[in-house]
Amino acid sequence: MCFRVRLARRHQDETPSLTLTSGLPPRPEKRGENNRLVPAIDDVRVAQGSRPDSCTVLGQAAYPLSVEAGTMRILKKTKQLAGDLANDRSGNFAVLTGVIASMLMLSVGYGVNVAQSYQLKSSLRNALDSAVTSTARDLTTGAIEEEDARKVVEAFLHANGDAKFATTDQFVLDKLVIDRTAKTIEATAYANVNLAFPLFSTKDPRVSISSAAVYSDRAIEVAMMLDVTGSMEGQKIKDLKTAAENAVDAFLAGQDPKKPRVRVAIVPYANSVNAGSLASTSVFVERKASDRKQAPGSDDPIAVSGGSRPDNCATERKGAEQYTDAGPDVAMVNRDLLLTEFSERTRTRACPSAALAPLTANADALKSTIKSFVAEGGTAGHIGIQWAWYLLSERWSGVLEKSAQPAKFDPKKVAKYAILMTDGEFNLSYFDVNESSKVYNDAGKEPTRTAAKKLCAAMRAQKIEIFSVGFKLENSYAKDVMKDCATPDSGSVKHYYQTSTGAELDAAFKEIARNIERLALTK
């Protein structure tokens, strides 16, 4: 092949701006009037033979042409040449195309195989984890015997596994081991991958997964702190009732009522907390300004001779025990002197009409409490947090009925959880002010937020795991408190939830119930 391009000089002494030659003899310069050079592009020739003089003329331009235009002309001709070569039937390009196509097919096939294997392994893991956890729960509650465990796991795998990429369309339980001493159940399952491109696989198309869980008499205690403040009025309180009742069912369903493994407590809060029947033995009523300090113990003569009480409402504990779970025998919880005046000023209840419900496995009793919720009052969230802690603390057993007494904390025997829910900023507190007009601040109060965070930190220090749920939260301070209170996430278990609809609130409570079950059982 040969081609030659020569651009003429504008002046006789000027070097040509572009010259491209390929073995052709130079062409005579073209001159116009006054002996001036005429810009021109020489012929472009494509060799049809081995000699330069056998080149065929493809085009010639003898008119003024810029460097850029000349270059474009060359590119156009080169593209035409490339097309001619591509149509060549001599065989070289066909072989090259075949090699490249094979490599592309190999890459695509391998990628598809990897994706299939990953998808099948993920489905197998989820199915086996769920099967083992469910079987462990049934063993724990006595719903099945140990000899039935293998059948239950297999049935669960076949019913819930998504095995669309498996060769037999099902998962296979390979091994099941029950350790009666450690009370654990361990299982291994596998599935063979139905590869789309089996020729491209260099590995065994079988995927295998192992899972383990504990089946023991480990108890679960859950305290749910629920917001019934004025901002929850309307659809929001309805959504909360639905979600809370569904959570109760999720926690308590399927267990032996004579030997309950899971118990749940409910703590509604607003301006304060209604301590119900616990008030007489655990709440100290402040009657004068000098009483606004740490309350006496429940056996102190001052507490015993306090006289009649206006209600069963409780505010913060004051003094050295404010951020502890000390029992009322050490220091009772205060009913602040400012509460009555604040309630009258705002024309709201001093505390919710629904009283707290200590730990119980009676789902009907808990649902009855939830149904009685009425939205009214401000958001004293820190008071709700402290009472959720008290109902999980063995140090409060002395004022609770036997069926409601929290178990002595032992990680091997009991797991304790708190669920904290709010729809807004913590904006109300009594311990930090000296007049009722300063109790509430609709923009939120720093002392209230700080108190909440301190209580949460103290609970976590006792290994109480905290889940927090924000319902239609918009305030950044409110979000910060909820995030700060929640236990840091571990693995796939989420601890802080932000919800914006009733359906999302319901889903969050149900997911928390499942996660608590998993945390209590999974090895």
Side-chain angles (χ1 to χ4, degrees):
M1 177 180 66
C2 59
F3 57 89
R4 178 171 180 270
V5 175
R6 180 175 60 82
L7 295 181
R9 295 183 290 264
R10 293 184 179 181
H11 302 286
Q12 188 169 2
D13 299 330
E14 184 180 20
T15 302
S17 57
L18 175 63
T19 300
L20 179 60
T21 63
S22 181
L24 291 176
R27 291 175 56 86
E29 293 182 339
K30 298 179 180 180
R31 295 181 177 271
E33 297 180 2
N34 301 323
N35 201 34
R36 294 180 64 87
L37 287 174
V38 178
I41 181 169
D42 276 66
D43 299 342
V44 178
R45 301 168 182 267
V46 178
Q48 301 296 324
S50 59
R51 294 176 305 168
D53 58 357
S54 65
C55 293
T56 301
V57 177
L58 296 181
Q60 179 175 359
Y63 48 85
L65 190 66
S66 67
V67 174
E68 290 80 3
T71 303
M72 291 301 298
R73 179 70 62 84
I74 295 170
L75 291 176
K76 181 177 179 180
K77 296 301 182 180
T78 304
K79 182 178 179 181
Q80 180 181 340
L81 174 63
D84 293 340
L85 292 175
N87 293 327
D88 192 310
R89 294 295 183 266
S90 61
N92 292 338
F93 285 93
V95 172
L96 180 59
T97 301
V99 172
I100 295 175
S102 298
M103 295 176 65
L104 289 175
M105 287 286 290
L106 179 63
S107 300
V108 172
Y110 181 77
V112 172
N113 288 350
V114 170
Q116 284 184 299
S117 300
Y118 179 83
Q119 177 65 35
L120 185 63
K121 190 171 186 178
S122 178
S123 297
L124 178 60
R125 178 184 294 107
N126 292 335
L128 186 61
D129 284 347
S130 298
V132 169
T133 301
S134 178
T135 304
R137 175 172 181 166
D138 289 345
L139 287 170
T140 296
T141 59
I144 63 172
E145 300 297 330
E146 290 183 359
E147 53 267 26
D148 300 323
R150 185 176 185 89
K151 294 180 180 179
V152 172
V153 173
E154 288 179 336
F156 201 100
L157 283 176
H158 295 165
N160 297 280
D162 179 14
K164 59 185 177 183
F165 293 127
T167 55
T168 58
D169 293 328
Q170 66 179 7
F171 298 143
V172 180
L173 179 61
D174 185 30
K175 181 174 63 175
L176 183 72
V177 177
I178 296 178
D179 188 329
R180 293 178 175 83
T181 301
K183 290 193 173 183
T184 60
I185 175 173
E186 299 185 15
T188 301
Y190 69 85
N192 291 324
V193 186
N194 186 17
L195 297 175
F197 297 90
L199 295 179
F200 297 136
S201 175
T202 59
K203 297 183 179 180
D204 188 348
R206 172 175 293 186
V207 294
S208 180
I209 290 293
S210 296
S211 182
V214 177
Y215 72 101
S216 65
D217 57 355
R218 192 182 189 202
I220 295 176
E221 296 175 357
V222 181
M224 299 181 67
M225 180 200 86
L226 304 176
D227 187 338
V228 295
T229 60
S231 58
M232 288 289 294
E233 189 175 13
Q235 186 60 44
K236 291 170 76 173
I237 196 70
K238 294 178 183 178
D239 291 338
L240 173 60
K241 290 179 179 181
T242 299
E245 288 186 35
N246 289 340
V248 167
D249 286 336
F251 280 122
L252 302 180
Q255 60 180 345
D256 186 347
K258 295 181 180 179
K259 297 186 299 181
R261 173 172 161 265
V262 183
R263 292 181 298 162
V264 177
I266 301 289
V267 182
Y269 72 95
N271 287 340
S272 62
V273 167
N274 185 338
S277 61
L278 297 183
S280 61
T281 54
S282 61
V283 178
F284 175 73
V285 179
E286 297 175 357
R287 302 183 186 277
K288 54 185 182 297
S290 60
D291 289 338
R292 299 191 75 226
K293 59 183 179 181
Q294 180 169 318
S298 55
D299 295 331
D300 191 293
I302 298 177
V304 174
S305 61
S308 61
R309 59 181 57 251
D311 48 41
N312 293 325
C313 303
T315 56
E316 308 100 342
R317 188 182 242 160
K318 294 185 175 74
E321 306 300 337
Q322 182 174 359
Y323 302 112
T324 77
D325 64 333
D329 56 318
V330 176
M332 300 175 74
V333 180
N334 301 64
R335 182 201 184 278
D336 201 281
L337 179 66
L338 300 177
L339 177 59
T340 299
E341 185 178 341
F342 173 76
S343 175
E344 293 173 350
R345 285 183 67 257
T346 57
R347 297 182 181 180
T348 56
R349 290 178 181 271
C351 61
S353 56
L356 57 77
L359 290 171
T360 181
N362 188 332
D364 291 336
L366 291 170
K367 290 180 181 179
S368 178
T369 296
I370 293 169
K371 284 182 171 66
S372 69
F373 286 174
V374 176
E376 184 179 9
T379 312
H382 63 305
I383 298 176
I385 293 174
Q386 73 178 21
W387 279 96
W389 187 11
Y390 298 160
L391 296 184
L392 294 173
S393 173
E394 64 183 277
R395 301 173 73 180
W396 278 71
S397 295
V399 295
L400 293 164
E401 294 182 5
K402 186 174 181 180
S403 62
Q405 292 177 357
K408 182 177 181 180
F409 184 72
D410 182 343
K412 295 182 179 179
K413 295 183 178 181
V414 64
K416 297 177 184 275
Y417 304 92
I419 302 174
L420 313 180
M421 174 265 167
T422 186
D423 80 326
E425 171 66 288
F426 292 176
N427 54 24
L428 189 156
S429 54
Y430 305 88
F431 72 96
D432 59 315
V433 297
N434 293 317
E435 52 186 272
S436 62
S437 62
K438 297 180 180 180
V439 166
Y440 174 81
N441 185 335
D442 61 358
K445 297 179 68 177
E446 187 278 328
T448 312
R449 296 193 298 268
T450 299
K453 292 179 180 181
K454 286 183 178 180
L455 287 164
C456 288
M459 292 170 69
R460 294 195 304 269
Q462 287 190 353
K463 306 302 181 183
I464 295 175
E465 198 151 345
I466 300 176
F467 294 85
S468 63
V469 182
F471 186 31
K472 297 186 178 181
L473 286 185
E474 297 179 355
N475 185 286
S476 60
Y477 288 133
K479 295 177 182 179
D480 176 66
V481 171
M482 289 291 99
K483 290 178 182 178
D484 190 89
C485 274
T487 297
D489 292 342
S490 56
S492 62
V493 178
K494 181 180 178 181
H495 289 82
Y496 168 67
Y497 293 80
Q498 177 63 278
T499 64
S500 56
T501 66
E504 290 180 3
L505 180 65
D506 184 42
F509 279 173
K510 288 178 179 177
E511 183 173 317
I512 290 172
R514 290 193 298 269
N515 283 339
I516 285 177
E517 184 69 39
R518 186 182 306 171
L519 288 167
L521 290 179
T522 304
K523 192 173 181 179

